[in-house]
Amino acid sequence: MTQAPLDHWFVNQILIHETALLRYLHRHWSHPDEVPDLRQELYARVYEAAAKGLPTQPKAFLFTSARHLMTDRLRRNKVVSIEPMGDFDPSHVLIEDVSPERWCGGRQSLHRLATAFDQLPDRCREVVWLRRVEELPQKEVAKRLGISEKTVEKHIAKGMRLLADALSAEAGTHPLFAHTVNSDDVQHHAD
């Protein structure tokens, strides 16, 4: 798409939602002074994506992109990258008994956890993040999200169950667990 039609689309389909977008960002982002930067980064992302292909539902795309941007920012602020930097060699760690296999396995486990976390329902993911990662008290999470403490408890329980289910389901297909005994093997050996 050429510049002029894309600019026209952006103004008519995206910028018209700026007031609602700002309300959304202020409601869900705990650092109000960062909202203008979030908005600009979001607009850049949406514009770049639209240059490759226009979304069929621009408003939904805008707000979904905003949610993803905030999640990315939270993750970036809270998690130290597990990717090696520069000439970092996994064997140069403080704990000498960490083998390359164990180091790699830890990275894979973190990746599986991040993937499972991203698949949680939106509200559930927010609650789990605030409660387990940011370690906010249950009462503060309820206040921040405008829900009851009982609802926070339910989201935590659901989130933990879904994460455990996702990780255990993946573990069943993981090569390290390929030799686990299943019920058919037990029955066969019992005969």
Side-chain angles (χ1 to χ4, degrees), residues 119-186:
Q119 293 174 354
L120 290 176
D122 293 343
R123 181 56 69 139
C124 186
R125 186 173 54 245
E126 276 183 296
V127 170
V128 170
W129 183 270
L130 292 172
R131 188 78 178 96
R132 298 293 186 218
V133 177
E134 291 191 19
E135 298 178 337
L136 293 178
Q138 184 170 306
K139 190 173 191 169
E140 176 62 27
V141 173
K143 182 180 173 186
R144 186 178 286 194
L145 298 177
I147 58 178
S148 71
E149 287 187 57
K150 190 72 171 168
T151 303
V152 170
E153 288 176 17
K154 288 179 182 178
H155 281 302
I156 290 293
K158 179 180 181 180
M160 294 295 103
R161 186 184 75 249
L162 289 172
L163 287 172
D165 289 350
L167 294 175
S168 66
E170 181 146 343
T173 61
H174 193 276
L176 293 175
F177 297 95
H179 301 295
T180 57
V181 178
N182 64 42
S183 58
D184 293 336
D185 293 336
V186 172

Side-chain angles (χ1 to χ4, degrees), residues 109-124:
S109 294
L110 283 174
H111 179 70
R112 284 193 303 273
L113 178 61
T115 300
F117 181 77
D118 287 343
Q119 293 174 354
L120 290 176
D122 293 343
R123 181 56 69 139
C124 186

Side-chain angles (χ1 to χ4, degrees), residues 4-25:
L6 181 58
D7 289 349
H8 181 73
W9 174 87
F10 190 79
V11 168
N12 291 317
Q13 297 296 321
I14 299 299
L15 290 182
I16 63 167
H17 303 294
E18 184 164 20
T19 303
L21 174 66
L22 287 171
R23 274 196 313 265
Y24 179 80
L25 292 173

